[in-house]
Amino acid sequence: MIPLSVLDLVPVREGGTVAQALAIAAETAQVAERAGYKRYWVAEHHGMEGIAGGATSVVLAHLGHATSTIRIGAGGIMLPNHNPYVIAEQFGTLAALFPGRVDLGLGRAPGADGRLANALRKDIMSAAEHFPQDVVELRARFAGQAVGGVVSPQASGADVEMWILGSSLFGAQLAAMLGLPYAFASHFAPAMLDEAARTYRERFQPSQVLDKPYFMAAINVMAADSEEEARYLASSTDQSFVALRMGTPGKLKPPVRGYRESLPAAARAMLEQVRSVSAIGTPDQVRADIEAFVARTAADELIVGGATFDPAAQQRSLELTMDALAAVSS
């Protein structure tokens, strides 16, 4: 059975608060741990009222204390937003708190407009150009090396599993060159999935941490007792994608029956393309879709995304998905 992991944007639900979103994330991480998921990743987003995971390392500490065995990590840290030294300190500290459990996924896309860049006090476009060098610096600091004559005691020797994230060929090429595991954001940017996977494998150079390619692909998943119910539940995430593309992101909304069918043709086509890498339906349907996706990508691991308004329904989806796959493998 292919390892499964969870990507959580820590959504703030309509009518809810950041505190409630963080509490739900901890409960969901506990469900994922009991169900047998390998990792629980949180993504960095800033300036969005519907996403509570902006202070990613702090959220991971919260999740680490709520769990005991599942790996916790950033999927990812958008490195152009940060000083590599500070990220080394933060994740070295997390590794000291939760030994053998910490992942650091690194992305190049800052995901910030000019106003946010100003708030972050960063020249983000320039910082993005230095992404490869910053990744190398982070790896050196975790290895205990002094970079620029300065050591990072919290990071030195820390057991942090570094990943490169991407939605284009750039990340695939960098991960291959550095011999790092690679995760592709096919759950929202599926267009270059196959080419990126091929590029990563063909160009991979073994490193001290990895002797062969290790590829993880993201997929939207929502499992329920019926296909109609699963599609209804998934419409919360559908609404979020449409709102984001229209420039009006907000809090996670309650599901709407027949949501996709209610959209104008252009919006529906956009949503179908963005959400094309999905497994939505009964446990049997989800299992079949996941098996087909694994056959297509030859992925070593999958990370499942997707949220709905009712946390219990989202958590049950995780359980149903794992149970469906485990039943076949046994």
Side-chain angles (χ1 to χ4, degrees), residues 8 12 31 52 55-56 105 110 127 131-132 160 163 192 209 229 237 250-251 255-256 261 305 311 321 325:
D8 186 2
V12 182
V31 170
T56 309
F131 179 70
V160 175
W163 287 69
M192 303 188 76
V209 298
E229 183 69 8
T237 297
K251 294 184 177 182
V256 175
E261 292 74 16
T321 299
L325 291 175

Side-chain angles (χ1 to χ4, degrees), residues 253-266:
K253 296 182 179 297
V256 175
R257 295 199 183 276
Y259 175 72
R260 291 196 185 192
E261 292 74 16
S262 72
L263 293 171

Side-chain angles (χ1 to χ4, degrees), residues 5-10 39-45 73-76 165 185 187-188 218-219 303-307 314 318:
S5 294
V6 178
L7 176 64
D8 186 2
L9 299 187
V10 195
R39 313 173 198 273
Y40 200 93
W41 281 7
V42 175
E44 174 191 344
H45 293 81
L165 314 182
H187 64 304
F188 75 87
I219 180 171
I303 187 163
V304 304
Q314 182 177 344
L318 292 176

Side-chain angles (χ1 to χ4, degrees), residues 44-46 77-82 107-113 116-117 120 122-129:
E44 174 191 344
H45 293 81
H46 298 291
I77 288 291
M78 301 298 104
L79 200 49
N81 295 340
H82 304 280
R108 180 180 65 146
D113 59 20
L116 185 53
L120 293 170
K122 292 281 289 186
D123 181 347
I124 289 177
M125 298 310 296
S126 175
E129 294 177 0

Side-chain angles (χ1 to χ4, degrees), residues 188-229:
F188 75 87
M192 303 188 76
L193 166 63
D194 301 300
E195 188 176 358
R198 182 171 59 254
T199 297
Y200 171 62
R201 293 184 177 114
E202 289 176 351
R203 300 192 182 188
F204 183 83
Q205 299 178 26
S207 67
Q208 290 183 339
V209 298
L210 207 59
D211 60 0
K212 61 181 181 180
Y214 193 90
F215 178 67
M216 179 162 66
I219 180 171
N220 298 291
V221 174
M222 185 58 64
D225 293 328
S226 69
E227 181 179 3
E228 179 185 4
E229 183 69 8

